[in-house]
Amino acid sequence: YYLLDRHNQRMGIIDTMKAIEAMTRRWPLARAKYIEDKANGTAVIEMLEKRINGIIPIEPSGGKEVRANAISPIWESGNVYLPHPLYRPWVDDFVEQVISFPNAANDDDVDAMTQLLNQMDGGSSLLERYGVQ
């Protein structure tokens, strides 16, 4: 799995939609855009699904720590690749958040990454291993 880009910022619904549209333009070959179907995410999905192909609503299962535990073997086996920080300076902050989880001040990157990897690597089957339905 190649984690090539990220947008990390507290945003309202309009800025969130603009960020999704910008990321879609930046990565035109990305076929799936996973959006958490909770809070503002539900409205974002409703407003963008006719304008952007590949929007997939996801319902998070279990807590953030459970989702992180479910994908830890993917990281431990060396199957997650990040760009070099010289080319993508955000990588240092991302790695720091991953290493500090669950005690970091912020966990948005970890939360988004775990939901993505859980979806891409079999979705609910990973979580079911941990007894989460």
Side-chain angles (χ1 to χ4, degrees):
Y1 300 96
Y2 294 84
L3 302 178
L4 301 176
D5 207 346
R6 69 98 135 105
H7 186 103
N8 185 320
Q9 180 182 358
R10 297 270 180 218
M11 298 177 283
I13 192 166
I14 300 300
D15 288 335
T16 298
M17 290 172 46
K18 288 178 182 178
I20 292 168
E21 290 169 329
M23 194 67 76
T24 298
R25 284 189 301 276
R26 188 171 23 231
W27 299 99
L29 297 179
R31 293 175 290 201
K33 290 89 177 173
Y34 297 107
I35 301 175
E36 189 173 308
D37 197 0
K38 288 176 62 178
N40 284 348
T42 303
V44 169
I45 292 164
E46 187 176 309
M47 289 189 277
L48 289 181
E49 66 187 349
K50 290 184 175 53
R51 294 179 10 206
I52 296 177
N53 289 330
I55 290 182
I56 301 169
I58 59 169
E59 288 282 340
S61 298
K64 293 179 183 184
E65 289 185 50
V66 171
R67 292 193 298 269
N69 285 333
I71 60 96
S72 63
I74 299 170
W75 276 89
E76 292 168 5
S77 61
N79 289 317
V80 176
Y81 300 91
L82 299 169
H84 194 284
L86 288 176
Y87 303 106
R88 298 288 187 261
W90 59 263
V91 169
D92 287 330
D93 292 336
F94 180 88
V95 169
E96 181 63 33
Q97 193 178 119
V98 170
I99 291 169
S100 301
F101 183 81
N103 300 313
N106 298 307
D107 60 11
D108 294 334
D109 283 335
V110 173
D111 191 29
M113 180 264 306
T114 60
Q115 290 192 58
L116 172 69
L117 290 177
N118 276 307
Q119 292 295 318
M120 292 179 72
D121 199 60
S124 62
S125 62
L126 282 173
L127 296 169
E128 287 168 2
R129 289 183 212 160
Y130 290 91
V132 177
Q133 300 298 323

